[in-house]
């Protein structure tokens, strides 16, 4: 939605004074999945799909908000007990509360927002929403909060008001994204490096199964608990192991008999995935996309068999990609449904998409959605 369009929609709801307009994007992640909360590496990029919000301070201590795409309205105060009932409004409320907890003075505001990040596709529509409001309030109220802290405010919103114990990747990239660049973030030290990403001769394309699992957030939290248990067991022998990122397979094998088989599999995946991100970084620096693609397939295998966050539909798409000679393909994001990310040679692209849609429809009765990936800028004022 353009700035002009959202301003008009705002004025239709709240009168003719002009609001400020902000936007923040969703993301893709090339590799490094379920690694962020294990203190390891991720490799995301912001996309050209996001949330756009028009906002104006209203001189009260109330927030009045319209979710335009849902035609829903919510009004809430800024105290802890004022938590709204609408799921989407909890994100905005959470951002306000987390700013207040850090000593920021939040005032009431009127707002409307709209988005085009596909919901449940693993592209972080929720981080886009959080980052839009965190960035906007910081800017409008001159709070002077740095972008890392804004990302943490978004993450804390998920932890405390949504119930997902997520890592920092999605909020980080929604704020730090840069056109044409992926970012390798070390989630332990928070050091990051921009990598220009313009693979000549290849395209990145997402295939959205549109599968959304109801229990995805509790399953996500369980994965995190498994990792923390495995890291704690290793730490008894190796006190320097703060996160699974600090461990290797030898250390994990030492505790194989004291942790559950399930925790072992989860930890094995994370240790191997950490290695893959480093190998992909080297490959990218050399422009070696064949290696990048190979690692993507390995990640899919690990997410499917060890981490168990794939599903039949995603595995099916991954299989088709492999059989069609696609360079790399894997489930992207938290999993439990959503998209596969595919690195495809230009000359294979159209034929692969056609084949994948037809075969998928034949098996599941509907076609996956197709999104081209355009790596774009992070949160900003329009
Ligand atoms: C979700 C979370 C992220 C990350 C990914 C998996 O998107 O919000 O923090 O853990 O899943 O890589």
């Amino acid at each position: 939605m353009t700035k002009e369009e959202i301003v008009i929609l705002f004025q239709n709801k709240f009168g003719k004074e002009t609001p400020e307009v902000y936007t923040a994007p969703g993301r893709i992640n090339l590799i490094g999945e379920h690694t962020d909360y294990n203190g390891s590496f991720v490799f995301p990029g912001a996309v050209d799909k996001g949330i756009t919000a028009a906002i104006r301070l209203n001189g009260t201590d109330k927030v009045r908000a319209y979710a335009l795409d849902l035609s829903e309205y919510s009004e809430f105060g800024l105290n802890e007990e004022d938590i709204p009932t609408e799921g989407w409004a909890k994100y905005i409320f959470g951002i306000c509360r987390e700013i207040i907890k850090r000593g920021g003075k939040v005032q009431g505001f009127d707002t409307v927002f709209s988005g085009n990040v596909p919901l449940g596709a693993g592209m972080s529509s929720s981080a886009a929403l959080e980052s839009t409001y965190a960035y906007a309030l910081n800017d409008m109220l001159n709070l002077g909060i740095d972008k890392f802290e804004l990302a943490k405010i978004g993450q804390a919103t998920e932890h405390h008001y949504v119930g997902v114990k997520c890592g920092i990747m999605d909020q980080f990239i929604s704020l730090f994204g840069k056109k044409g660049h992926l970012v390798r973030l070390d989630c332990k030290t928070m050091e990051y490096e921009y990598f220009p990403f313009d693979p000549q001769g290849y395209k990145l394309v997402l295939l959205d199964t549109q599968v959304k699992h109801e229990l995805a957030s509790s399953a996500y939290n369980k994965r995190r608990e498994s990792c923390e248990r495995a890291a704690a067991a290793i730490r008894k022998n190796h006190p320097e192991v703060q996160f699974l990122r600090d461990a290797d397979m030898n250390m994990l094998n030492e505790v194989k008999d004291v942790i559950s088989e399930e925790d072992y599999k989860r930890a094995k995946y994370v240790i191997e995935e950490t290695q893959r991100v480093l190998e992909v970084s080297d490959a990218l620096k050399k422009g070696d996309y064949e290696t990048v693609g190979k690692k993507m397939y390995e990640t899919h295998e690990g997410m499917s068999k060890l981490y168990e966050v794939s599903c039949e539909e995603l595995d099916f798409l991954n299989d088709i990609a492999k059989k069609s000679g696609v360079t790399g393909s894997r489930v992207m994001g938290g999993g439990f449904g959503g998209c596969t990310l595919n690195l495809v040679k230009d000359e294979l692209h159209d034929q692969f998409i056609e084949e994948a849609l037809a075969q998928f429809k034949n098996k599941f009765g509907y076609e996956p959605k197709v999104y081209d990936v355009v790596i774009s800028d992070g949160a900003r004022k329009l």
Side-chain angles (χ1 to χ4, degrees):
M1 184 170 296
T2 65
K3 181 176 175 184
E4 292 67 32
E5 284 165 345
I6 200 145
V7 166
I8 291 172
L9 292 166
F10 178 93
Q11 290 174 328
N12 288 344
K13 304 283 186 200
F14 294 112
K16 66 179 184 322
E17 260 180 77
T18 311
E20 313 280 5
V21 179
Y22 294 86
T23 188
R27 58 115 188 85
I28 56 134
N29 184 27
L30 185 64
I31 199 150
E33 220 65 89
H34 289 274
T35 41
D36 54 358
Y37 53 83
N38 287 299
S40 187
F41 303 96
V42 292
F43 223 124
V47 294
D48 62 339
K49 294 178 172 45
I51 297 281
T52 304
I55 311 176
R56 194 179 60 208
L57 299 177
N58 62 18
T60 75
D61 55 4
K62 292 254 176 330
V63 175
R64 304 191 293 170
Y66 280 98
L68 296 171
D69 308 324
L70 301 171
S71 302
E72 280 184 21
Y73 174 72
S74 180
E75 185 172 326
F76 51 87
L78 293 168
N79 297 312
E80 197 63 26
E81 63 274 16
D82 297 328
I83 185 159
T85 48
E86 298 80 5
W88 56 270
K90 289 195 168 90
Y91 291 95
I92 305 176
F93 176 77
I95 293 295
C96 296
R97 287 299 309 158
E98 291 297 332
I99 292 176
I100 293 168
K101 285 182 204 168
R102 286 162 177 76
K105 293 213 167 18
V106 178
Q107 303 167 25
F109 54 90
D110 296 339
T111 183
V112 304
F113 74 90
S114 170
N116 59 357
V117 190
L119 298 179
M123 295 173 73
S124 277
S125 52
S126 56
L129 182 58
E130 290 149 12
S131 301
T132 301
Y133 282 93
Y135 187 94
L137 291 174
N138 184 45
D139 191 55
M140 290 174 74
L141 298 166
N142 291 314
L143 299 173
I145 304 172
D146 70 41
K147 283 205 282 183
F148 277 121
E149 196 59 29
L150 292 180
K152 287 184 189 152
I153 284 170
Q155 183 191 25
T157 295
E158 296 274 354
H159 288 198
H160 302 142
Y161 298 95
V162 184
V164 180
K165 301 283 181 204
C166 66
I168 196 71
M169 167 168 70
D170 303 353
Q171 293 77 12
F172 168 85
I173 194 63
S174 187
L175 288 151
F176 285 81
K178 186 162 146 188
K179 195 173 176 184
H181 290 73
L182 298 178
V183 191
R184 190 185 71 190
L185 171 69
D186 179 330
C187 298
K188 188 175 172 188
T189 62
M190 294 305 278
E191 280 167 339
Y192 62 100
E193 189 182 345
Y194 287 100
F195 283 65
F197 189 73
D198 181 20
Q200 297 299 318
Y202 296 86
K203 283 190 175 46
L204 265 188
V205 58
L206 292 165
L207 291 180
D208 185 359
T209 62
Q210 298 170 70
V211 174
K212 299 177 184 52
H213 283 288
E214 286 288 315
L215 295 173
S217 51
S218 63
Y220 180 97
N221 294 346
K222 277 195 187 142
R223 297 298 180 284
R224 184 172 183 152
E225 285 162 20
S226 276
C227 293
E228 284 167 359
R229 276 194 299 268
I234 295 171
R235 199 176 304 126
K236 286 191 184 144
N237 302 334
H238 302 276
E240 73 279 12
V241 173
Q242 194 186 344
F243 297 103
L244 277 183
R245 178 261 177 90
D246 307 315
D248 59 26
M249 280 308 295
N250 291 334
M251 295 177 183
L252 178 62
N253 285 330
E254 285 168 11
V255 297
K256 192 167 183 183
D257 297 337
V258 283
I259 61 177
S260 71
E261 199 186 325
E262 191 173 280
D263 290 358
Y264 178 84
K265 283 198 292 185
R266 307 299 189 238
K268 180 168 192 277
Y269 162 77
V270 172
I271 291 170
E272 291 176 349
E273 181 73 350
T274 297
Q275 201 47 43
R276 280 191 285 268
V277 185
L278 296 174
E279 287 168 30
V280 163
S281 309
D282 287 346
L284 273 184
K285 283 184 178 152
K286 295 186 207 135
D288 172 7
Y289 294 104
E290 293 305 309
T291 299
V292 173
K294 189 165 160 262
K295 296 291 147 194
M296 290 170 74
Y297 279 114
E298 287 174 20
T299 294
H300 185 88
E301 182 78 8
M303 285 177 83
S304 179
K305 305 275 159 40
L306 295 173
Y307 221 64
E308 297 179 279
V309 294
S310 186
C311 62
E312 201 192 341
E313 292 84 349
L314 288 163
D315 288 346
F316 186 79
L317 284 178
N318 186 260
D319 246 25
I320 298 176
K322 209 176 275 168
K323 286 183 189 138
S324 312
V326 167
T327 307
S329 176
R330 66 177 195 83
V331 41
M332 192 192 70
F336 314 106
C339 291
T340 59
L341 175 68
N342 303 276
L343 179 66
V344 197
K345 284 216 172 97
D346 284 342
E347 61 268 24
L348 211 68
H349 176 272
D350 294 357
Q351 191 195 328
F352 163 59
I353 299 294
E354 203 180 299
E355 188 76 2
L357 296 194
Q359 287 195 34
F360 191 95
K361 181 159 188 203
N362 195 21
K363 174 133 174 105
F364 298 106
Y366 67 97
E367 285 186 352
K369 291 200 170 145
V370 184
Y371 317 119
D372 285 321
V373 176
V374 182
I375 309 286
S376 306
D377 284 326
R380 61 204 180 272
K381 186 173 181 178
L382 293 180

